[in-house]
Amino acid sequence: MRILILSDMHSNLEALNACLEVAPSCDKVANLGDIVGYGGSPNEVTQLARKLGGLLVRGNHDKACTGLMSVEDFNPVAAIAALWTMQALTPENIQWLKLMPRGPIFLPFRYPLNQEETWAGTEADGIQLVHGSPLDEDEYVIVMRDAQESLLRTNYPLTFFGHTHIQGGFAFENERWETLRPIYKGPPDQQETWALDLRSDAKYMINPGSVGQPRDGDPRAAFCVFDPDRYEVIFYRVPYNIQKAQQQIIAARLPDRLATRLAEGR
Ligand code: ZN
C-alpha cells in the first residue's frame, strides 16, 4: 500500500503536473492544504485537486482565498494574491475549497484501507494529517522546538504536516530528538528521491515539502510517498517548468516577488 502526500500546491499547475507525472501509483492521496494562494492558476489547480480527491485538510490560504478568514494577518504580497485568487476562482471552486475540513484528520494504516469505516484500532495504528500542527491548524512548525509539544502529546506514530514549505521533519524516540532533512546529491536540475526508514518506536512529524512554492532553498517541486508495509517515507524533488509558472503569475498581474521566489526556492 502507498499513500501519496501532497501539500502547499499554491495554484502552481506546472509544479503539480510535474509531481503527478513522476509519482508512483498510490492507493490513496492525502492533501495537506493551501491548494490556492500565491500562484497564477487557482482554478486549474483546484480542479485537479478535486479530481485527485482523497483525504483533505484545509490550509490558511484556502481559508483566506474563500473569505473564511480575513487577510489581516497576511503580509501585503500574500494578501494581494489572496484577494486576486478570490476574484479569479469560480463559485463552484470557492464552494469546494470552503468545505475542506479542518485538521487534524486521521487515517488508519495498519488495516486494509477499505475497512476504514469500521476501524476499531488505536491511535498507534493510525496517522494524522494536519496543515500547521495537531494543536493549531495555523501554527508554523519550523524548528524542533516547535515540534516538541505536538510530538509529546500525540499517540499517533506519524503526523504529516505542511504550512512551512520545508521538506523533512522531526523524530522523537527515547528522549532523543532529531531533525530530519533529506540529503540530495545529484545535479539540481534532475529528479531525486530520498528514502527515510521509519523506526517502530519513534514518533514523527513529516513534511512532504511544498508542491508549488518551495522555501527550503531547493526550487524543485516537493512531495512524499508513505509506504506503511515497508514503513518508510520516500521524499521527492522534481524539476518543473518554472518559467511557465512565473509567466502565469506575471500575466495575472500578481506581485513580481511571487514569480522570482519560485526560481530561488525561497
Ligand atoms: Zn502554504
Side-chain angles (χ1 to χ4, degrees):
M1 181 171 84
R2 275 193 294 232
I3 303 170
L4 174 64
I5 304 186
L6 302 165
S7 191
D8 296 276
M9 297 171 178
H10 282 292
S11 300
N12 187 336
L13 182 65
E14 290 71 27
L16 177 56
N17 275 331
C19 290
L20 296 177
E21 223 160 86
V22 304
S25 77
C26 286
D27 307 273
K28 194 122 208 156
V29 179
N31 184 333
L32 308 181
D34 277 4
I35 290 171
V36 292
Y38 295 135
S41 307
N43 283 307
E44 294 83 348
V45 170
T46 305
Q47 286 302 137
L48 204 41
R50 290 173 68 170
K51 215 170 103 189
L52 283 169
L55 294 151
L56 300 146
V57 292
R58 68 186 186 182
N60 52 321
H61 286 260
D62 304 316
K63 290 189 284 178
C65 294
T66 57
L68 283 179
M69 185 180 103
S70 95
V71 295
E72 235 168 54
D73 295 335
F74 274 29
N75 67 56
V77 168
I80 290 169
L83 296 173
W84 174 82
T85 302
M86 205 185 308
Q87 300 268 310
L89 282 168
T90 65
E92 291 77 22
N93 283 337
I94 289 203
Q95 213 37 48
W96 184 84
L97 288 164
K98 263 188 170 168
L99 290 173
M100 288 174 76
R102 170 206 292 262
I105 66 158
F106 311 104
L107 172 71
F109 69 81
R110 294 197 211 274
Y111 288 79
L113 282 174
N114 57 6
Q115 286 177 25
E116 269 159 53
E117 262 135 57
T118 54
W119 179 47
T122 67
E123 289 179 356
D125 303 310
I127 60 175
Q128 63 180 343
L129 309 171
V130 302
H131 183 65
S133 90
L135 307 172
D136 176 352
E137 64 175 341
D138 296 332
E139 181 187 1
Y140 287 93
V141 179
I142 298 168
V143 294
M144 195 148 58
R145 246 183 101 101
D146 306 327
Q148 287 180 332
E149 205 187 338
S150 291
L151 280 171
L152 284 170
R153 281 213 215 167
T154 188
N155 291 318
Y156 289 93
L158 273 165
T159 300
F160 288 96
F161 73 105
H163 200 32
T164 64
H165 303 202
I166 297 168
Q167 192 177 55
F170 307 95
F172 176 51
E173 182 182 18
N174 297 330
E175 312 294 312
R176 258 191 66 228
W177 299 89
E178 192 188 345
T179 299
L180 310 163
R181 282 301 293 273
I183 300 157
Y184 298 113
K185 298 194 177 112
D189 58 346
Q190 307 253 311
Q191 182 199 318
E192 280 186 89
T193 56
W194 186 72
L196 173 67
D197 277 320
L198 301 167
R199 299 185 299 267
S200 56
D201 292 331
K203 287 193 280 185
Y204 294 90
M205 282 189 78
I206 304 271
N207 191 325
S210 169
V211 170
Q213 196 202 71
R215 286 182 203 160
D216 47 15
D218 186 337
R220 293 174 294 182
F223 69 94
C224 74
V225 172
F226 170 49
D227 185 329
D229 305 322
R230 304 173 80 158
Y231 211 45
E232 68 174 10
V233 173
I234 314 275
F235 292 95
Y236 284 74
R237 293 313 281 240
V238 187
Y240 72 97
N241 191 338
I242 292 178
Q243 285 86 352
K244 198 167 168 204
Q246 290 174 320
Q247 282 160 16
Q248 306 297 331
I249 288 168
I250 291 156
R253 295 170 185 263
L254 286 161
D256 282 353
R257 175 73 193 125
L258 293 174
T260 54
R261 71 184 301 174
L262 290 182
E264 296 161 17
R266 293 263 172 224

